[in-house]
């Protein structure tokens, strides 16, 4: 989930990660700043949380 975005970096926001596509599993929530130098992760598409079996997405917004 995108948590923070700036006009200078619309394609590299801060995101909250809570699901691993590689492992196909929930992971402990973690904030990743995609604008930091050396970060290779990126947003590749917009997804519907329900398609991944994620319920109560509103709770994942909590700090």
């Amino acid at each position: 989930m995108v948590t923070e975005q700036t006009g200078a970096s619309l394609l590299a926001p801060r995101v909250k990660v809570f699901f691993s596509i590689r492992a196909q599993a929930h992971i402990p929530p973690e904030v990743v700043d995609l604008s930091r130098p050396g970060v290779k992760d990126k947003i590749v598409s917009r997804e519907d949380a329900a398609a991944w079996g994620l319920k109560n997405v509103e709770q994942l917004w909590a700090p």
Side-chain angles (χ1 to χ4, degrees):
M1 266 183 230
V2 173
T3 61
E4 186 177 332
Q5 197 168 0
T6 66
S9 182
L10 294 177
L11 298 176
R14 287 173 47 106
V15 296
K16 190 172 198 179
V17 181
F18 49 83
F19 189 84
S20 170
I21 294 173
R22 289 186 188 121
Q24 293 294 304
H26 294 272
I27 58 173
E30 161 184 2
V31 175
V32 177
D33 186 351
L34 298 177
S35 67
R36 288 184 49 212
V39 173
K40 295 181 182 179
D41 295 316
K42 62 182 178 178
I43 295 174
V44 295
S45 69
R46 182 178 188 270
E47 298 286 338
D48 178 12
W52 294 96
L54 301 172
K55 299 176 182 171
N56 301 321
V57 175
E58 294 79 22
Q59 293 177 349
L60 297 169
W61 281 102

